Amino acid sequence: MTEPMHDPAAEPAFSDPRPFGEGPPSAFARPTPWRRRLQIFGWIVAAGLALMMILVAWLAVTAPLSRSLKPIAPPSISLMSADGHLIARRGAVIERPVTVAELPAHVPQAFMAIEDRRFQSHWGVDPRGIARAMWHNLWSDGASQGGSTITQQLAKGVFLSSDRTFGRKAREALIAVWLEVWLTKDQIMERYLSNVYFGDNVYGLRAAARHYFNRAPDRLTIPQAAMLAGLLKAPSRLAPTTNLKGARARAALVTQAMVDAGYITQAERNALPPARLNVHEEADPTSGTYFADWVLPHARDRAGAVYGEQDIATTLDWRIQRLAEAAIRRAPLGQAQAALVAMKPDGSVVAMVGGKNYAKSSFNRAVQARRQPGSTFKLFVYLAAFRAGMSPDDMIDDTPITTGTYRPANHGGKYRGRITLRQAFAASSNVAAVRLTQKVGVDNVIKVARDLGVTAPLTEDLSLALGTSEIPLIELAEAYAAVAAGSYPVMAHGLPPEEQGWFEKLMQRQRRFSEDQLDMIRDLLSSAANRGTGSAAALRTSTFGKTGTTQDSRDAIFVGYAGGLVTAVWIGNDDNAPLPGGAAGGGVPARIWRNFMAGAINEPVEDTSDAEQDPDLVNAIANVALESGIGNVGVGVDENGMTLNIGPNQIRLPVDQPAPPPPQAAPPRVAPTQPEESDGPP
């Protein structure tokens, strides 16, 4: 029987063919593709709005909205040591608030031109400014811009921390919008100008106008207003009392911004004279310390416009600081002054003493004074020689220089003939250092000094080798810290480093010494500190360092490191008068260094009597040098015995063996009359 033929026309009109497994047809028509996309977009928008509402609710609960409308508390900073001790507490110089209606129009215009050109039109947050800043920071050569409005900067002041987390920045933006709702633009500007930091511990426009120009804010000229507006970028660094050139350069940018914003014409701007200072000093409201004075400007910059009482952690170690003060206090200094700075190899300063008595003199000789470093500068000379391919075993002539116009002499006219670089460094030979500088070039010695962080002006002649250029003690410590760390430059700092982005890390990365150069310079520093002119500083642990003494013993220095700590010690007179008794770097400074370092790194050290600490006696024992017909003989004495250096050979005599008499000394050669560098007694 045949199957009947299938007739499609016989199928019901509503029945559509469906793939196997599909359910019954829906009573609703399927959405078209564009409707489906619209539904998805609507869900995304709804989810986004829900998240935003949750975020705004969280910000409203956590952000101090009510406090933002109250008067801002006067700023106060407490500096704390790394182990939690109070170092100093500083208030601020403030005066009563200003009123915009009483100010010349160019005063608020200067601040708007450089800080927030769309201040009058935005609602607290400026998306265009943020986008511009991001674009600039992405393509600039390292100079960063901020996108915060004046209202946001004011909002930042209600927080008691200045961290850069997303949560705090979001709350800051919310408070900025809140302020725009409740306050007029003039009220926001008045609060901003009355509380912003202008450097020199001065807060608010009225106090700043009085401090820098000794006038009321309603009498500020355009150049003066521009200078004050320019300070906000870096108040401590640009403070005109210490950096007038930088402050005027920044003020010029502000006046040009005023032209670009249409506040003044280019012709008016070109006719403006630079602002002139008329500083009105205010008494410091609290006392401090040398370290506190040094670190406070950095602490204020980090705090920014954050008001109220803040505790700022520093790198100072309370125990080590007390040891440093005690070491200076016990030293036989007479009428001379002393300074000490100690830091970790990464530049974290753990102790600083800028003089014998802060109450009598707050001048910080560890940071502010520039003195000749003497033979401690030879570090750069010998590093330049190693960069040129030389080694500690290479020979150099330690003989009088008889050619040229510059003829330096060794101390006391003592010369050793042909010796190794290691021996020349340990004995602190002046003529050897000058010969090396001649060989490698003055420019290459300066290049090494710059690489290791020396920023002070340096003489471009052969006298540079003997440390005739004046350098702050802290820069010497930074250079020796670079050797201890194995990388350079090392920048001294008193505040823990802030977290940096990848771009900042890339731009500020350190360079490393080659292993050969590092081993060689450490070899020389060890030789100088243990067997040479610095032997009075030698500890039981590995000790590295160098002495320095300038002409007529005006400055005596020891710089070195041991046990993970780098320390520089200086003694001298503020009027640059010679130290009595021909004091040298291997005497009192080396003894101060050893006494301090032994306690700082927890190494036992035997107490010595006052007689044994006599600077002339200690220096004489540590630095005996004789000449004879058969060659130079160097004699060093310590608690374990006596060491004889005869040419390249060394003989060690324990305390239980008598020392043979030294050879008959020949009459010393007559030294040239040029200035001498001295690392030993006359």
Side-chain angles (χ1 to χ4, degrees), residues 221-223 226 255 258 264-275:
T221 64
I222 293 178
T255 53
M258 294 177 71
I264 59 175
T265 66
Q266 189 67 53
E268 289 174 331
R269 187 257 183 187
N270 294 340
L272 293 174

Side-chain angles (χ1 to χ4, degrees), residues 118-131:
R118 280 176 289 278
F119 171 71
Q120 296 291 352
S121 59
H122 64 63
W123 279 76
V125 178
D126 184 9
R128 289 174 58 187
I130 295 173

Side-chain angles (χ1 to χ4, degrees), residues 599-615:
I601 66 174
N602 295 313
E603 176 178 299
V605 60
E606 294 181 5
D607 292 333
T608 54
S609 65
D610 291 341
E612 291 174 313
Q613 290 185 358
D614 179 80

Side-chain angles (χ1 to χ4, degrees), residues 4 58 78 125 172 183 199 242 270 283 293-294 322 384 412 438-439 452 462-463 491 501 532 600 613 619 633 675:
W58 173 73
S78 296
V125 178
E172 175 187 298
L183 301 176
T242 56
N270 294 340
D293 289 350
W294 175 64
R322 293 180 66 187
Q438 285 178 315
K439 187 169 185 177
L452 269 62
L462 292 176
S463 69
M491 303 300 293
Q613 290 185 358
N619 199 44
V633 177

Side-chain angles (χ1 to χ4, degrees), residues 217-229:
D218 57 0
R219 296 181 57 242
L220 287 171
T221 64
I222 293 178
Q224 291 169 342
M227 178 174 285
L228 293 178

Side-chain angles (χ1 to χ4, degrees), residues 544-620:
F544 306 83
K546 185 71 184 75
T547 58
T549 315
T550 61
Q551 182 184 11
D552 296 330
S553 297
R554 288 184 171 87
D555 304 275
I557 304 171
F558 187 87
V559 189
Y561 64 92
L565 196 62
V566 184
T567 300
V569 177
W570 166 88
I571 65 170
N573 291 303
D574 287 339
D575 61 0
N576 209 31
L579 293 164
V588 175
R591 183 69 62 178
I592 293 173
W593 190 94
R594 180 174 181 267
N595 290 341
F596 163 71
M597 288 289 290
I601 66 174
N602 295 313
E603 176 178 299
V605 60
E606 294 181 5
D607 292 333
T608 54
S609 65
D610 291 341
E612 291 174 313
Q613 290 185 358
D614 179 80
D616 299 332
L617 176 61
V618 170
N619 199 44

Side-chain angles (χ1 to χ4, degrees), residues 5 15 57 116 216 337 367 478:
M5 297 289 291
S15 177
D116 186 3
Q337 280 287 352
V367 176
E478 289 173 338

